[in-house]
Amino acid sequence: MKIINMQHATKVYENGVTALNDVNLTIDEGEFVYITGPSGSGKSTLIKTLYREEKLTKGQLIVNDLNVSAMKNRDIYKLRQEIGIVFQDYKLLKNKTVYENVVYALDVTDQDPSTFRARVYEVLKFVGLAHKINVFPSELSGGEQQRVAIARAIVNQPKLIIADEPTGNLDPETSWEIMNLLEKIN
């Protein structure tokens, strides 16, 4: 099954900069894909189109059988419920504990709240942070913060996980740990 199908995708920003030019990309379920290239080559723009932070200027994008290209703004939440996103800068809520940061991703779903605690504990155990459940992000190392971000991304059991430079702010040893964790998730 195709999880991403991008055809003739073009993104031109208002200032005239073309970030994507006639891109065709197909990614099948279960694939682990790296997107590489020099700074300014459109990697981040491509990633942002996948979760509809940016909208294509031309072309078609299907993610998890949802036509992202034709999607109305009010329906973007449907797409984002099926995608787990791991940001380079973690995007953790500083005034929330590890538990609260991860459960936040479940709060926007139709799932039964009585199952949240067990699911959050399960994913925190998986990423090696169950013992830090009541700690705040400022009390964690960069690698631990990234593992919280990964836990938040996978807690909904998404069909697709997007990681935008997940090791960009980490030392080499922690980077390997994070990449091994992402491969294990896949």
Side-chain angles (χ1 to χ4, degrees), residues 24-67:
N24 295 300
L25 173 67
T26 302
I27 299 174
D28 292 324
E29 187 174 354
E31 284 191 271
F32 194 104
V33 177
Y34 296 88
I35 298 172
T36 62
S39 181
S41 64
K43 300 179 303 292
S44 291
T45 298
L46 185 137
I47 288 170
K48 288 176 181 179
T49 64
L50 296 177
Y51 60 90
R52 235 326 265 289
E53 182 175 329
E54 295 289 346
K55 189 172 182 180
L56 292 175
T57 307
K58 290 191 306 190
Q60 184 176 39
L61 172 59
I62 308 291
V63 176
N64 292 343
D65 294 325
L66 296 170
N67 187 340

Side-chain angles (χ1 to χ4, degrees), residues 109-182:
T109 68
D110 296 332
Q111 297 179 45
D112 179 7
S114 68
T115 65
F116 288 3
R117 186 147 186 90
R119 179 65 186 148
V120 170
Y121 184 77
E122 178 184 343
V123 296
L124 286 174
K125 185 175 177 185
F126 179 77
V127 300
L129 290 176
H131 64 290
K132 302 263 182 162
I133 200 163
N134 294 314
V135 172
F136 289 90
S138 63
E139 302 171 275
L140 300 171
S141 70
E144 289 171 329
Q145 289 182 51
Q146 190 62 294
R147 286 187 284 162
V148 173
I150 291 169
R152 183 183 55 206
I154 67 172
V155 73
N156 284 332
Q157 299 174 307
K159 294 179 184 174
L160 173 65
I161 296 173
I162 299 170
D164 188 4
E165 296 190 49
T167 62
N169 295 325
L170 304 174
D171 63 86
E173 184 178 329
T174 305
S175 294
W176 279 113
E177 290 173 12
I178 295 299
M179 291 310 298
N180 287 332
L181 180 60
L182 290 171

